[in-house]
């Protein structure tokens, strides 16, 4: 699928921009048990006071790979939506990374969201992934309501939209407010790190209703969790609380 007015570029343009948001995780890959993972993405010009089209750049950042970009003019209230973003926009068969959306007009408003979904033999299911504004990121975030029991497992993701390595501290807290362990790790520049089955990384064992605290030591970060049913694969996306 190709969209008119898209200009494919292999490098991120270094010119200044008026605004920035990012999708913290995207994927296109085959998974376990016949699952086939895709990322649907929508981008909209929600400017109410900017009548002219807004030049908008969508950049995919993959760890240890050159960024890929497309640029398009978005008219007032125009929405671009594609069902398989990493292939439709970048012709990638197997990839993952964060997507940054930047635009040239400081008075404009651009919104975006994504849905990561499976199209395997068990039927289609997925979870919504909202865009995040870089200037609203925090260095200390909390993910409550996580479960590793009753047929659930929890994956935690940490996304770093900056151009430097982010050192992070990850702590597990039980429902009584007690720390059940912690560790440090790093997230590469403009990349995300997914910690599958987060409870397996602590000696506390699986918990229900637990909370994970993630602290950026040298940078602001975005963290999220996905509580997944082991029987159906259905997932609930958990955003950080403030």
């Amino acid at each position: 699928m190709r969209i008119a007015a898209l200009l494919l570029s292999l490098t991120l343009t270094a010119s200044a921009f008026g605004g920035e948001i990012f999708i913290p995780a995207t994927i296109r890959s085959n998974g376990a048990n016949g699952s086939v993972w895709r990322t649907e993405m929508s981008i909209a010009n929600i400017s109410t006071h900017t009548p002219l089209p807004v030049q908008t750049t969508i950049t995919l950042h993959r760890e240890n790979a050159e960024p890929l970009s497309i640029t398009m003019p978005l008219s007032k209230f125009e929405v671009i939506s594609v069902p398989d973003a990493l292939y439709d926009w970048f012709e990638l068969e197997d990839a993952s990374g964060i997507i940054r959306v930047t635009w040239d007009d400081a008075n404009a408003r651009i919104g975006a969201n994504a849905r990561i979904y499976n199209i395997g033999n068990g039927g289609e299911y997925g979870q919504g992934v909202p865009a995040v504004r870089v200037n609203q990121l925090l260095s200390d975030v909390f993910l409550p309501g996580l479960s590793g029991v009753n047929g659930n497992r929890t994956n935690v993701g940490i996304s770093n939209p900056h151009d430097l390595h982010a050192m992070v501290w990850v702590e597990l807290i039980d429902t009584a407010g007690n720390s059940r362990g912690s560790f440090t790790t790093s997230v590469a520049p403009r990349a995300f790190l997914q910690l599958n089955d987060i409870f397996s990384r602590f000696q506390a064992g699986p918990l229900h209703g637990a909370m994970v605290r993630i602290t950026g030591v040298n940078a602001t970060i975005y963290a999220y969790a996905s509580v997944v049913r082991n029987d159906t694969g259905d997932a609930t996306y958990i955003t950080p609380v403030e």
Side-chain angles (χ1 to χ4, degrees), residues 169-231:
W169 175 58
V170 183
E171 181 181 17
L172 176 64
I173 302 170
D174 64 22
T175 55
N178 300 312
S179 176
R180 304 297 291 271
S182 62
F183 63 89
T184 58
T185 186
S186 66
V187 185
R190 303 202 190 281
F192 76 94
L193 172 67
Q194 181 156 307
L195 305 172
N196 292 324
D197 189 11
I198 187 66
F199 294 105
S200 68
R201 297 172 180 267
F202 300 94
Q203 295 182 355
L207 301 172
H208 181 71
M211 182 165 64
V212 166
R213 179 183 186 181
I214 300 175
T215 305
V217 177
N218 64 330
T220 57
I221 48 89
Y222 181 79
Y224 58 91
S226 182
V227 180
V228 186
R229 289 290 308 172
N230 292 320
D231 49 4

Side-chain angles (χ1 to χ4, degrees), residues 54-119:
V54 177
Q55 289 295 326
T56 305
T57 299
I58 303 161
T59 303
L60 172 66
H61 293 271
R62 298 164 293 158
E63 191 171 356
N64 301 319
E66 289 294 323
L68 299 172
S69 296
I70 56 173
T71 298
M72 66 182 79
L74 286 180
S75 300
K76 183 178 179 179
F77 298 159
E78 182 180 4
V79 180
I80 298 295
S81 185
V82 294
D84 188 0
L86 298 191
Y87 184 79
D88 293 341
W89 282 337
F90 306 111
E91 299 185 339
L92 297 174
E93 296 280 358
D94 193 316
S96 63
I98 70 169
I99 286 184
R100 295 171 63 238
V101 181
T102 57
W103 55 96
D104 62 353
D105 186 345
N107 296 316
R109 295 175 62 207
I110 302 296
N113 58 58
R115 184 175 72 101
I116 298 176
Y117 63 99
N118 168 58
I119 54 175

Side-chain angles (χ1 to χ4, degrees), residues 135-178:
N135 62 2
Q136 295 179 356
L137 292 177
L138 303 173
S139 60
D140 194 23
V141 299
F142 296 83
L143 300 169
L146 310 185
S147 178
V149 300
N150 300 326
N152 298 304
R153 68 181 185 276
T154 295
N155 303 326
V156 168
I158 308 168
S159 193
N160 172 22
H162 308 297
D163 59 2
L164 75 164
H165 275 84
M167 298 299 299
V168 295
W169 175 58
V170 183
E171 181 181 17
L172 176 64
I173 302 170
D174 64 22
T175 55
N178 300 312

